[in-house]
Amino acid sequence: MSRLPRLLATAAVAALVLSGSAQAYDDPAPDRVPAHHAAPADAPATAPAAPTPESPLGPPGPRSVSCAEGCEFVTRPAPEVAAEDVRPTEVGLRTVFDRPGHVLGASLLRGPYRGPITLRLWWDGALLAERAWTHPGRMAEIFFATPVPVEAGREYVISYYTPYGGYLTSPGYYTAPVKHGPFTAPVGAGVLHHGEGGGFPTENRGDSTYWINPEFRG
């Protein structure tokens, strides 16, 4: 089932401006169901509530999250900025996984440029996989042709190349680590690279996010 509606709902709250000093942030799973249903009216007062299943993302924080069927990095709301940059650009996200598994692809929110893009996965500057995307929508959910194996504790970069800039960004986002489930995005996790054809992104510009949410199974 596509996770794009959840990504769109997250970005739609752009008017909520986060305030206060930067702190490490454990993102909640927005589609979690309540821990239990209310007991029927005629049930004994001491009767335990019937549990309901958790969402695939599970709860945030130190408790382990099951990603056996796949899960997605979930980001908090922030004001979006349509980049005026029109140069060929690769924008990406640095992330570390807490367990071995496979990267399936990523969900993206796009800026004013809606032409062809290419999703890529990197490790230590080496290109591991890529997949072209031509749909002109604001949202994209792109899967690699084959899930890409990744190791626990290593930092990977998932990115996309836009030949005419026009990407979406939010500065001041990764001023502290962001953890959700198996993902940890470090300080300065948002990275970019300018150049025809793109390339391994390493430049940190204002601790920005580029609204790239990797999808993982493991």
Side-chain angles (χ1 to χ4, degrees):
M1 180 179 294
S2 172
R3 301 184 181 87
L4 290 179
R6 181 171 65 252
L7 183 62
L8 181 58
T10 297
V13 198
L16 297 177
V17 179
L18 303 178
S19 61
S21 59
Q23 299 179 355
Y25 184 87
D26 286 331
D27 288 281
D31 59 348
R32 285 182 62 198
V33 296
H36 59 80
H37 291 306
D42 57 352
T46 57
T52 58
E54 291 176 344
S55 74
L57 286 174
R63 180 177 167 186
S64 179
V65 174
S66 174
C67 292
E69 300 300 324
C71 55
E72 178 181 279
F73 184 53
V74 177
T75 47
R76 66 188 188 270
E80 302 168 14
V81 178
E84 297 180 359
D85 187 0
V86 296
R87 293 173 289 176
T89 308
E90 188 107 19
V91 293
L93 171 74
R94 299 162 51 209
T95 187
V96 176
F97 303 99
D98 70 359
R99 70 201 71 173
H102 292 80
V103 174
L104 307 179
S107 296
L108 317 173
L109 281 179
R110 304 182 62 184
Y113 171 74
R114 302 293 175 81
I117 59 176
T118 303
L119 183 72
R120 291 169 173 157
L121 181 69
W122 311 79
W123 175 69
D124 197 26
L127 181 62
L128 302 180
E130 63 180 8
R131 187 69 183 265
W133 179 262
T134 58
H135 192 281
R138 165 176 161 82
M139 303 174 296
E141 188 170 40
I142 309 171
F143 294 97
F144 295 119
T146 303
V148 185
V150 293
E151 297 184 20
R154 285 186 172 182
E155 183 177 280
Y156 295 84
V157 175
I158 190 157
S159 64
Y160 72 91
Y161 170 65
T162 164
Y164 297 102
Y167 46 87
L168 196 67
T169 182
S170 294
Y173 194 94
Y174 289 115
T175 56
V178 175
K179 178 174 175 58
H180 177 82
F183 311 93
T184 297
V187 173
V191 285
L192 56 77
H193 168 84
H194 289 110
E196 190 69 34
F200 182 56
T202 58
E203 181 183 349
N204 174 9
R205 182 164 296 180
D207 296 319
S208 300
T209 180
Y210 301 105
W211 297 105
I212 304 169
N213 287 0
E215 302 193 17
F216 173 84
R217 184 175 65 212

